[in-house]
Amino acid sequence: MEELKARIRRDGKIKSGNVLKVDSFLNHQMDVNLFTEIGQEFKRRFAGEEINKILTIEASGIGIACITAQSFGVPVVFAKKTQTKNIAGEVYTTQVESFTHGRVYDIIVSKEFLGKGDKVLLIDDFLANGKALEGLACLVRDSGAELVGAGIVIEKGFQPGGDMLRARGIRVESLAVIDRMDEVTGTIVFRGEA
Amino acid sequence: MEELKARIRRDGKIKSGNVLKVDSFLNHQMDVNLFTEIGQEFKRRFAGEEINKILTIEASGIGIACITAQSFGVPVVFAKKTQTKNIAGEVYTTQVESFTHGRVYDIIVSKEFLGKGDKVLLIDDFLANGKALEGLACLVRDSGAELVGAGIVIEKGFQPGGDMLRARGIRVESLAVIDRMDEVTGTIVFRGEA
């Protein structure tokens, strides 16, 4: 998605440790006009697929998921991060390891809102090591729902998450895949470019 | 907003301790068609006001804030909840007491995304004791931005938050104000009704 790549080039900030800060338009301040374009692009990519629910994870996935859901005409469910023990039986739950925050947390979805017959599209802002997306896919599987695919705004192609998920047969559509970036020169090379 | 009140009556579940569960359409599963109506209603209520930014708080406010922001044509900033110490100088921060979770947490907004010249509308899903909204208003004040008002989906009118904020001169527009509700009979009385 060219508009998105141009925006990443213009406003993204490369920090040490392969960190890409896009908090001016994606995950702290949020440009909802761009989100509308992103939602329509996900709809184009998954055109023809039967999807009746979008699943994301709090917090920064929620805005993109909601605006994408307008294009699909379906509800959103967001998985909650929790460190409290939950009553067995009421929720689907799995563990996710966060590299950014250096800890493991539980994510949960109420059994009321995900289950057999659901055809689910995962939406998230970032894909790097793929642990969050893997957790969401696990909740979908445990619920008996069908996983249609995953729509990602920015994939760090030099980290293993995308390859790992595709190797498992999950259709992952990333609107911008970064193959490499350089903190010193500020250069970003997207997949498909020279 | 009649459509919202009807939805609360139909799908809301009253639990002990004055808890109203609306997680089937508002804050776990999210009905984005309803959110679009909600966003347009906020736009009608704040028509004529100059607003260039919407501020909310993670997680459940983000979806409504983003879809509301489409009606206003402005970006959203969401305050992050954190338990980690932040580098002084880079963020505005204040403490918020959560009655639901029985703890105090810090909320932060980067100084890059809020400041003098901004005319800010606060958006959140619930108003009860008003601590989250009070924290957001504090961040706006500290940043030198102007607080235009607050748009709330559901206000628990029998809890003190709404009165407290209005007494401070903050314009609070709540789309459904619950004056009382009864766990045993399942009755909900909205403000303005008999």
Side-chain angles (χ1 to χ4, degrees):
Chain A
M1 186 180 167
E2 294 310 316
E3 181 186 351
L4 173 65
K5 291 178 190 171
R7 189 64 177 274
I8 295 167
R9 280 226 166 82
R10 196 186 79 187
D11 294 334
K13 289 172 190 165
I14 306 166
K15 303 282 182 183
S16 61
N18 276 326
V19 171
L20 176 67
K21 278 190 75 173
V22 285
D23 56 2
S24 66
F25 61 95
L26 191 66
N27 49 20
H28 185 15
Q29 183 166 251
M30 300 184 289
D31 179 342
V32 298
N33 293 327
L34 179 66
F35 283 19
T36 303
E37 298 291 328
I38 285 171
Q40 289 166 355
E41 178 64 19
F42 283 136
K43 177 65 183 165
R44 275 189 290 274
R45 300 231 184 163
F46 288 96
E49 295 284 353
E50 202 184 326
I51 288 164
N52 77 326
K53 199 160 279 187
I54 286 176
L55 179 66
T56 188
I57 185 167
E58 65 172 81
S60 50
I62 295 175
I64 294 153
C66 280
I67 288 182
T68 298
Q70 290 178 313
S71 287
F72 284 86
V74 302
V76 173
V77 174
F78 70 91
K80 299 182 182 190
K81 296 174 182 174
T82 175
Q83 288 172 304
T84 55
K85 287 282 162 209
N86 286 282
I87 304 149
E90 292 185 354
V91 296
Y92 301 110
T93 183
T94 190
Q95 287 200 321
V96 171
E97 187 183 350
S98 167
F99 289 85
T100 317
H101 300 102
R103 61 185 184 86
V104 173
Y105 54 89
D106 292 321
I107 62 172
I108 62 165
V109 165
S110 169
K111 288 187 177 177
E112 283 183 72
F113 308 129
L114 194 65
K116 204 164 166 1
D118 281 330
K119 296 171 189 300
V120 180
L121 175 64
L122 307 180
I123 292 285
D124 208 0
D125 55 340
F126 262 97
L127 170 57
N129 287 294
K131 297 298 180 185
L133 218 60
E134 189 179 29
L136 292 176
C138 178
L139 296 180
V140 171
R141 188 195 60 214
D142 290 352
S143 76
E146 182 190 326
L147 180 58
V148 176
I152 301 295
V153 181
I154 302 176
E155 178 180 340
K156 288 175 167 173
F158 52 87
Q159 287 183 259
D163 290 346
M164 178 265 289
L165 294 163
R166 290 183 185 99
R168 291 191 189 181
I170 297 174
R171 179 178 171 195
V172 180
E173 293 283 345
S174 300
L175 304 189
V177 181
I178 296 173
D179 270 342
R180 54 182 195 276
M181 56 187 196
D182 188 311
E183 186 195 349
V184 178
T185 61
T187 314
I188 296 174
V189 178
F190 293 104
R191 188 158 297 174
E193 294 179 334
Chain B
M1 186 179 167
E2 294 310 316
E3 182 186 351
L4 174 66
K5 291 178 190 172
R7 189 63 177 274
I8 295 167
R9 279 224 166 84
R10 196 186 79 187
D11 294 334
K13 289 172 189 164
I14 306 166
K15 303 283 182 182
S16 61
N18 276 326
V19 171
L20 176 67
K21 277 191 75 173
V22 285
D23 57 1
S24 66
F25 62 96
L26 191 65
N27 48 20
H28 186 16
Q29 183 166 250
M30 300 184 287
D31 179 342
V32 298
N33 293 328
L34 178 66
F35 285 17
T36 302
E37 298 291 328
I38 285 171
Q40 289 166 356
E41 178 65 20
F42 283 137
K43 177 65 181 165
R44 274 189 290 273
R45 301 235 184 160
F46 288 97
E49 296 284 353
E50 202 183 328
I51 287 163
N52 77 327
K53 200 160 277 186
I54 286 177
L55 179 66
T56 188
I57 184 167
E58 64 172 85
S60 50
I62 295 175
I64 294 153
C66 281
I67 288 182
T68 298
Q70 290 179 312
S71 287
F72 285 87
V74 302
V76 173
V77 174
F78 70 90
K80 299 182 182 191
K81 297 173 183 175
T82 175
Q83 288 173 303
T84 54
K85 286 283 161 208
N86 286 282
I87 304 150
E90 293 185 355
V91 297
Y92 301 110
T93 183
T94 190
Q95 288 201 320
V96 172
E97 188 184 348
S98 167
F99 288 87
T100 317
H101 301 101
R103 61 182 183 89
V104 173
Y105 54 89
D106 291 320
I107 62 171
I108 61 166
V109 166
S110 168
K111 288 187 176 178
E112 284 183 72
F113 307 130
L114 195 65
K116 205 164 161 14
D118 281 332
K119 296 170 189 301
V120 179
L121 176 65
L122 308 180
I123 293 285
D124 209 0
D125 56 341
F126 261 98
L127 171 58
N129 287 294
K131 297 299 180 185
L133 217 59
E134 190 179 27
L136 292 176
C138 178
L139 296 180
V140 172
R141 189 195 59 213
D142 290 352
S143 76
E146 182 190 327
L147 181 58
V148 176
I152 301 295
V153 181
I154 302 177
E155 178 180 340
K156 288 175 166 174
F158 52 86
Q159 287 183 258
D163 290 346
M164 179 265 289
L165 294 162
R166 290 183 185 99
R168 291 193 189 179
I170 297 174
R171 179 177 171 195
V172 180
E173 292 283 346
S174 300
L175 303 188
V177 182
I178 296 173
D179 270 341
R180 53 184 196 275
M181 55 188 197
D182 187 310
E183 187 196 347
V184 178
T185 61
T187 315
I188 296 174
V189 178
F190 292 103
R191 187 157 298 174
E193 295 179 334

